[in-house]
């Protein structure tokens, strides 16, 4: 049976996040693992096409701040130290791959909506994480 010393749980800060966090916390306790809590904020330019000639820095800063505050609440509730709470900006799958290498993660835990078809089964982010990381990936079914 594999051992997992460090687990990365990637959440999207929606009302579904606790379902993923509960499973991650249980696994971390069972394996006596360190838990790294991660949220990736997509750059505002992606959402608005990147072609708009306007400064979106303030909006990006507000999104980052709100994400850090929400992640801190989850960290407190699930007993994850502030040193193990990461908010980063970029493409979620790319940032998760980077963090896996940087933090020597053994298991990535992500949420999954049970839609039909392999691509839809995991969702685009979970699918991207699965196909680009060198460690195990666990998809938690969102109900």
């Amino acid at each position: 049976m594999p051992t997992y010393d460090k687990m990365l749980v990637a959440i999207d800060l929606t009302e579904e996040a606790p379902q993923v966090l509960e499973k991650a916390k249980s696994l971390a306790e069972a394996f006596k693992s360190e838990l790294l809590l991660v949220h990736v904020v997509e750059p505002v330019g992606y959402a608005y096409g990147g072609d708009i000639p306007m400064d979106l820095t303030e909006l990006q800063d507000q999104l980052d701040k709100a994400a850090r505050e929400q992640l801190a609440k989850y960290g407190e509730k699930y007993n994850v130290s502030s040193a193990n709470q990461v908010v980063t900006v970029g493409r979620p799958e790319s940032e998760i791959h980077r963090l896996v290498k940087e933090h020597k993660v053994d298991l990535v835990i992500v949420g999954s909506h049970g839609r039909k078809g392999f691509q839809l089964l995991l969702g685009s982010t979970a699918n991207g994480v699965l196909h680009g990381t060198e460690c195990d990936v666990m998809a938690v079914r969102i109900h």
Side-chain angles (χ1 to χ4, degrees):
M1 177 184 229
T3 59
Y4 299 113
D5 295 320
K6 189 171 244 185
M7 299 178 184
L8 181 155
V9 58
I11 59 172
D12 60 8
L13 303 180
T14 65
E15 66 278 353
E16 298 164 340
Q19 293 178 52
V20 179
L21 286 164
E22 290 290 336
K23 183 68 75 170
K25 184 68 176 167
S26 295
L27 283 170
E29 288 171 357
F31 282 97
K32 295 178 178 39
S33 303
E34 184 178 356
L35 198 58
L36 184 66
L37 186 56
V38 173
H39 175 69
V40 181
V41 178
E42 292 196 56
V44 176
Y46 286 177
Y48 293 98
D51 298 348
I52 300 174
M54 60 187 339
D55 184 8
L56 300 172
T57 306
E58 187 175 329
L59 177 58
Q60 188 73 58
D61 290 344
Q62 289 173 356
L63 291 172
D64 292 351
K65 182 178 184 241
R68 289 179 200 290
E69 289 170 358
Q70 184 63 41
L71 200 70
K73 289 177 186 174
Y74 282 129
E76 185 176 330
K77 181 175 181 178
Y78 292 93
N79 199 29
V80 177
S81 72
S82 59
N84 280 7
Q85 298 172 25
V86 177
V87 173
T88 185
V89 177
R91 294 184 49 85
E93 55 275 8
S94 299
E95 287 301 301
I96 291 168
H97 294 157
R98 180 183 65 78
L99 291 167
V100 163
K101 289 178 184 172
E102 187 177 302
H103 292 272
K104 297 178 175 57
V105 170
D106 303 304
L107 176 67
V108 175
I109 303 167
V110 294
S112 169
H113 295 87
R115 299 185 182 108
K116 299 206 174 153
F118 186 71
Q119 193 82 19
L120 292 174
L121 173 70
L122 290 176
S124 59
T125 299
N127 191 43
V129 170
L130 176 66
H131 291 290
T133 192
E134 296 174 7
C135 69
D136 291 345
V137 177
M138 177 182 183
V140 176
R141 173 80 45 129
I142 302 290
H143 298 288

